[in-house]
Amino acid sequence: KLDINKLISLHTDFSKELKNLEEIIYDKTGETFNINSPKQLSFILFEKLQYPKTKKTKTSYSTDLEVLEELAITYEIPSFLIKYRMIQKLDSTYTLNLLQMINNKTGRLHTDYNQTVTATGRLSSSSPNLQNIPIKSDYGKKIREAFIAEDGYLLVSADYSQIELRILAHLSDDELLIKSFINKKSLPKMTQRKMNRHPS
């Protein structure tokens, strides 16, 4: 279930922020151009502003994320471009896309869960991929807030911590493993220490 008004409001906020970033970029470059055109952006950064040229494409110099992140260490404009692209992607991939994917009959979003796609054997989600919604950024958190429960119910997020190792500890009755979970010790660190004491 989705809060449609929340998604519409987010789209409005994203649109305003993109407009604001456009104006900042135009002001700082001294020129109006198509920010989404790699060729035009390449001209602005590497010909007009004379930024150091790195990766080359068939037609111009690359303006991909890796290049922009490298340039952002020294220059100001690439940081605004990175933020612009991130917000634009969130808006098109999530706010607008999720609104279009709501089922008219149920008023809900219905993802497909795939059981045989991932190499690890875990479930994957598609159309849309609900596992890819960002969680670390404030923007991602706002998108997640649009997923709501029925009145009187709660959405609960649960994750098994090292479930395979916990099952192994139980089945093998391994004293060290069991003790490590009881004492909340870091298994990777314990394993490393043990290997350092007893190298093969």
Side-chain angles (χ1 to χ4, degrees):
K1 188 175 182 182
L2 290 170
D3 184 337
I4 293 170
N5 291 329
K6 174 87 178 172
L7 286 173
I8 292 168
S9 173
L10 267 177
H11 171 60
T12 305
D13 291 345
F14 284 157
S15 298
K16 283 178 187 171
E17 196 150 357
L18 285 171
K19 189 72 185 159
N20 183 48
L21 283 167
E22 269 180 17
E23 288 170 9
I24 291 168
I25 292 164
Y26 295 153
D27 180 59
K28 291 191 176 292
T29 58
E31 193 170 328
T32 302
F33 63 100
N34 182 356
I35 295 170
N36 296 310
S37 164
K39 196 173 181 182
Q40 288 184 37
L41 182 58
S42 179
F43 175 81
I44 294 290
L45 296 181
F46 304 113
E47 302 302 325
K48 182 180 179 181
L49 299 175
Q50 291 291 300
Y51 285 178
K53 296 167 181 169
T54 51
K55 285 198 294 187
K56 193 164 187 186
T57 64
K58 286 178 182 178
T59 54
S60 57
Y61 287 93
S62 175
T63 58
D64 67 14
L65 183 62
E66 188 184 343
V67 169
L68 291 178
E69 283 177 341
E70 197 177 317
L71 290 170
I73 297 167
T74 312
Y75 303 96
E76 187 182 25
I77 295 167
S79 299
F80 292 112
L81 291 166
I82 291 167
K83 191 173 182 182
Y84 180 89
R85 283 186 185 174
M86 180 192 70
I87 294 169
Q88 192 178 55
K89 186 178 179 184
L90 286 173
D91 193 32
S92 62
T93 308
Y94 296 109
T95 51
L96 292 174
N97 201 28
L98 291 176
L99 282 167
Q100 289 168 0
M101 296 183 88
I102 294 171
N103 186 293
N104 290 330
K105 288 181 182 175
T106 64
R108 292 170 181 266
L109 189 71
H110 299 274
T111 188
D112 293 323
Y113 286 109
N114 313 296
Q115 291 182 299
T116 56
V117 174
T118 63
T120 58
R122 294 184 179 183
L123 285 176
S124 71
S125 164
S126 59
S127 301
N129 184 348
L130 297 180
Q131 294 165 320
N132 258 16
I133 298 171
I135 192 166
K136 290 179 182 175
S137 71
D138 288 338
Y139 298 110
K141 285 174 187 170
K142 285 177 182 176
I143 291 167
R144 285 172 177 261
E145 285 170 10
F147 289 82
I148 55 173
E150 292 289 352
D151 290 341
Y153 289 83
L154 293 171
L155 284 179
V156 176
S157 174
D159 188 16
Y160 290 111
S161 168
Q162 300 177 313
I163 186 64
E164 295 90 351
L165 290 173
R166 290 176 186 272
I167 292 168
L168 180 66
H170 174 73
L171 293 175
S172 67
D173 210 18
D174 185 283
E175 196 178 318
L176 182 65
L177 271 178
I178 293 167
K179 205 178 279 184
S180 69
F181 283 119
I182 291 168
N183 298 325
K184 297 187 169 121
K185 299 280 184 188
S186 167
L187 280 170
K189 284 180 184 172
M190 285 178 65
T191 307
Q192 187 62 47
R193 280 200 301 270
K194 198 170 182 183
M195 286 179 75
N196 289 341
R197 282 201 306 268
H198 307 286
S200 55

